[in-house]
Amino acid sequence: MAYTVAHQTLNEWVQEVVDLCQPDAVHWCDGTVKEYDRLMAKMVAAGKATPLAKRPNSFLFRSSLSDVARVEEHTYISYPDQEQAGPTNNWIEPKRLKKTMLDLYQGCMRGRTMYVIPFSMGAVGSPMAKIGVEITDSAYVVCNMHIMTRVGTPVIKALGTEGEFIRCLHSVGAPLQPGEKDAIWPCATMENKYISHFPDENLVWSYGSGYGGNALLGKKCLALRIASVMARREGWMAEHMLILRLINPQGERYHICGAFPSACGKTNLSMLLPTIPGWRAECIGDDIAWLRIGPDGRLYAINPEAGFFGVAPGTSNESNPAAMGTLKENCIFTNCALTDNGDVWWEKHDNPAPAHAIDWRGQDWTPDSRQPAAHPNARFTAPAAQCPVISPDWEDPEGVPIDILIFGGRRTCVQPLIVEALDWDHGVFLGATAASETTAANIGHVGNLRRDPFAMKPFCGYNMADYFAHWFTMGDRLGDKRPHVFYVNWFQKNADGKWLWPGFGDNSRVLKWMCERVDGNADAQETPIGYMPSIDDLDLTGLDWPMDRIVESLAIDVKAFRAEIADIEQHLAQFGDRLPGRMIKQLQAYKRRLDGQPAQTAASKSLHTAR
Ligand code: O2Y
Ligand code: MN
């Protein structure tokens, strides 16, 4: 190996991977624009990328038909003891998993270049940043990592000779025989895809997929699955949350973190344009928040990422004008349709459907085609700095102080527009029991209800029951500096299938009520499911929307909530004895409230003691 850095352990690991995967060449990434341009030019020449005439420095990729999304059923959290992974994670014992994967890795990079990508999650030098090194045989991954993280020489410098780094090994799993022509999107068959995490070793091994969260290992693998374990160990939190700053007409700032499952409009909310006169919003992050308690005892959040990897279909000037502004140049598009004039297009784009396009499969497409032009999980990769509403403080190494935590999901019925938790422990209960209807972007059968605690079900790197306990502990440490906790549902429909709430920029009206609650300036009614505004408590100035629908969006059907208790009990029961006693207390109190009994009775004493 010709090139080495000053970090001996890193050199040794790279050499180990060279010996195992046997690439034809090794390239250490420096993170420069020149490097990005050279790799992109190579992929264009090989027919893997299409430059877009209509968008400067932007490119379209088409994946293999079988490699279009995260593969949860092939994602593993590997500890010696399955209990540590818990019931919500797939588990294989580390020795066995490593044996299987080492067999696959053996010679898997033959005929390819191996790229070594030093990257930082968080601004280089931030006290909250973590360094990773991804080794990959995909130039597409390198270019995406350039946008999504901070890559290259500054990271190597920050590592020095002995800095700690998280090892992330990735291969598309498609070695080339001498003279063999490469595929447009090389990857392995489904049964040979493995996205494996070894949290005890701060180690990620990914094999067989070149797509998104399976391959850009800084994102879900490091910044959530591995980081959640580190966070618990070190007393902070790694969460699947957007970060938003809301500014009122007086210039007062409120910082909000929101946890929503995939495909619930998290990116849209993070770039919200408030419709209430005088209110402004700035985006700090759209997907992941790292939170720690600052010197003043408050909770501070950073966005560890540097870009957005957003779902393209549905993104438009109506749903997310700021995202559309972000996408004007310097972007990578994956599995969007290609128009004849050299632009991308997707379903629900502002532009009308083109008369002809090449769809995500590379086939001719017309509006009469039965299939969508873009894959429902088609993506854009875009630099966060290009977002028209990015906060000037989005890279503040200390983070921003969080006033409000929001949980939510996509429910067409039962769950009202907005509820405030009665206290921190109730907020943890709301997060732990959060549920959403599934969509094409998170796999499973579309329309099923799935409990997705804290939107972390696919991303928690350890036993979810211990994760709940960590939330309780963080609340104890925060004391009276705890953020207020809310639960929202923008997605209710009435019996005619019409939306009850307009959503998008009008969500600012709900956020305003939250800010007023933080300041003690807004009324709320105590209900069995939490504090709720009446319609008069929401600022609806200038809103052109049927009032009866808003009234309906704030109604609660106690019977419907009671009917879901069995499902909540079943969900919590999967954690067995590991479930914190405080969660059981919350469940009991919730049931009593729904039964119309006082919440503070001696009954809670009969429950087992809180951990
Ligand atoms: O399908 C993928 O690989 C991407 S998944 C993803 C990407 C960006 C932000 N969030 C998600 C997610 O699944 O939560
Ligand atoms: Mn996400």
Side-chain angles (χ1 to χ4, degrees), residues 220 240 266 287:
K220 303 299 186 179
H240 190 201
K266 204 148 93 267
D287 195 40

Side-chain angles (χ1 to χ4, degrees), residues 36 40 50-53 55-60 327-333:
Y36 183 95
M40 234 358 139
T50 305
L52 296 171
R55 283 174 210 253
N57 194 32
S58 296
F59 301 86
L60 171 67
L327 303 184
K328 288 198 174 126
E329 55 190 352
N330 309 318
C331 290
I332 296 173
F333 295 91

Side-chain angles (χ1 to χ4, degrees), residues 70 219-220 224 240 260-263 266 286-288 379 455 459:
R70 286 190 293 104
K219 193 173 181 57
K220 303 299 186 179
L224 286 176
H240 190 201
F260 298 85
S262 316
K266 204 148 93 267
D286 80 325
D287 195 40
I288 297 176
R379 295 277 168 169
F459 307 122

Side-chain angles (χ1 to χ4, degrees), residues 265-336:
K266 204 148 93 267
T267 299
N268 293 351
L269 185 62
S270 77
M271 298 177 195
L272 161 112
L273 297 185
T275 51
I276 320 176
W279 285 69
R280 291 193 303 114
E282 295 171 358
C283 174
I284 294 168
D286 80 325
D287 195 40
I288 297 176
W290 284 357
L291 303 120
R292 62 161 183 161
I293 299 175
D296 61 359
R298 296 182 70 190
L299 193 60
Y300 283 77
I302 66 157
N303 169 12
E305 301 191 279
F308 307 126
F309 189 68
V311 180
T315 305
S316 67
N317 281 308
E318 193 204 344
S319 66
N320 193 340
M324 294 304 276
T326 311
L327 303 184
K328 288 198 174 126
E329 55 190 352
N330 309 318
C331 290
I332 296 173
F333 295 91
T334 307
N335 287 344
C336 299

